């Protein structure tokens, strides 16, 4: 059984790209219970290891989330914000926010916009832009500047919640769920290890350009890598399956296939899934994926890389939704794969 308390604790931490420390500390604390070695590099990526044989398998899950940053405080104490990562500004209207102010103190506010009563007809029809929104902390500029400064980080004020036994909603499931899976997979591997040296990595700054994947994969120089992220589910209204395929919540973890994925690793993952009785879904990815797998594959002389994704609805909103059975499938698949590749070397993964 996966550790739901740890998952909910991870989800409740504020950690936009560049300010992942709070989340990383919770991840690290959990890792120290079973990993042989736990350490953090100068970029902020945190590593948890088990085993010291061959090959070295890197499991990457990004610990950062999309967030907000204080850009400008006006004379009345209204705060203009920038997105840290890719926001649809429509999602932000009317939301409550949680910023981390001076000395780590939480400061709460709301995102304001003119109400419908006074919107001009042409304004009603237009998508709202970030610069038309502000955060109202309910304080004067003078009081606010005692607790909040330009450059401070915030997130939408939501934590994780199980709607049913299996369906979990939260902000930051992208990609706290991946950071969770790589550590749970390490834990399962540690209970029944092979020769493989498995290193789970909580990477930083993925949402602003896969930046932690670059530094961590160079630093670790693994023989093989698996990135774990979320992918767009297509099982809800208005999605054109002809263009992005058929991906369901509860349909199992998703294996990406395409140029970003080493074909030998892909086939071995499929074989492992078959042997273990894990249902998987396949996603066509005809270019570099927008995930850590992209930069990891291109590090040094090329690292054999795969991408396992968890189907997710309503990505980059405060109510992202996943099915925990897909998460359990991914944990089992990765820990079994780690055992299966015992004793292999990088050369075993030359694609042809
Ligand atoms: Zn992600």
């Amino acid at each position: 059984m996966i550790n739901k308390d740890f998952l909910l604790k991870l989800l409740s931490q504020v950690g936009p790209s560049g300010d992942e420390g709070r989340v990383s500390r919770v991840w690290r604390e959990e890792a120290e219970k079973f990993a042989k070695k736990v350490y953090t590099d100068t970029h902020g990526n945190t590593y948890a290891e088990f085993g010291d044989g061959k090959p070295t398998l890197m499991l990457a899950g990004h610990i950062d989330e999309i967030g907000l940053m204080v850009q400008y405080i006006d004379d009345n104490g209204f705060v203009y914000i920038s997105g840290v990562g890719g926001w649809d500004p429509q999602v932000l209207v009317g939301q409550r926010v949680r910023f981390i102010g001076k000395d780590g103190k939480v400061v709460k506010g709301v995102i304001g916009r003119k109400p419908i009563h006074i919107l001009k007809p042409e304004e009603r029809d237009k998508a709202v832009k970030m610069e038309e929104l502000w955060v109202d902390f309910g304080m004067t500029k003078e009081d606010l500047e005692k607790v909040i400064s330009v450059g401070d980080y915030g997130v939408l004020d939501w934590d994780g919640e199980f709607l049913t036994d299996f369906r979990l909603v939260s902000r930051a499931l992208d990609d706290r769920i991946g950071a969770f899976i790589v550590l749970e997979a390490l834990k399962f591997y540690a209970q029944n290890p092979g020769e493989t040296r498995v290193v789970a990595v909580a990477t930083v700054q993925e949402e602003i350009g896969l930046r932690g994947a670059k530094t961590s994969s160079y630093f670790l120089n693994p023989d093989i890598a698996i990135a774990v992220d979320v992918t767009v589910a297509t099982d809800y209204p208005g999605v054109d399956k002809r263009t992005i395929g058929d991906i369901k919540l509860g349909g199992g973890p998703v294996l990406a296939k395409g140029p970003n994925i080493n074909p030998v690793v892909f086939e071995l993952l499929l074989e492992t899934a078959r042997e273990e009785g894990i249902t998987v879904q396949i996603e066509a990815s005809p270019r570099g994926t927008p995930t850590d797998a992209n930069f990891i594959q291109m590090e040094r002389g090329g690292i054999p890389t795969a991408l396992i994704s968890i189907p997710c609805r309503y990505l980059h909103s405060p109510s992202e939704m996943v099915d925990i059975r897909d998460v359990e499938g991914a944990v089992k698949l990765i820990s079994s794969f780690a055992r299966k590749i015992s004793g292999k070397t990088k050369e075993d993964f030359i694609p042809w």
Side-chain angles (χ1 to χ4, degrees), residues 62 174-175 206-207 229-230 290-291 316:
H62 71 88
D174 177 9
D175 183 34
E206 191 269 359
E207 294 291 353
D229 211 321
V230 289
T291 71
H316 287 198

Side-chain angles (χ1 to χ4, degrees), residues 243-244 256-261 284-291 293-294 297 307:
T243 58
I244 52 174
K257 186 175 181 183
N260 194 169
I261 308 303
S285 303
R287 55 189 75 82
T289 62
T291 71
N294 194 357
Q297 186 192 30
L307 171 63

Side-chain angles (χ1 to χ4, degrees), residues 68-74 78-82 99-102 137 141 144-154:
L68 306 166
M69 184 179 267
V70 175
Q71 190 71 45
Y72 166 66
I73 305 173
D74 82 4
F78 294 116
V79 173
Y80 290 84
I81 47 176
S82 296
F99 273 71
I100 302 295
K102 286 214 169 62
F137 288 99
K141 182 178 190 183
L144 187 62
E145 284 183 335
K146 290 176 190 152
V147 289
I148 283 278
S149 317
V150 166
D152 281 353
Y153 291 91

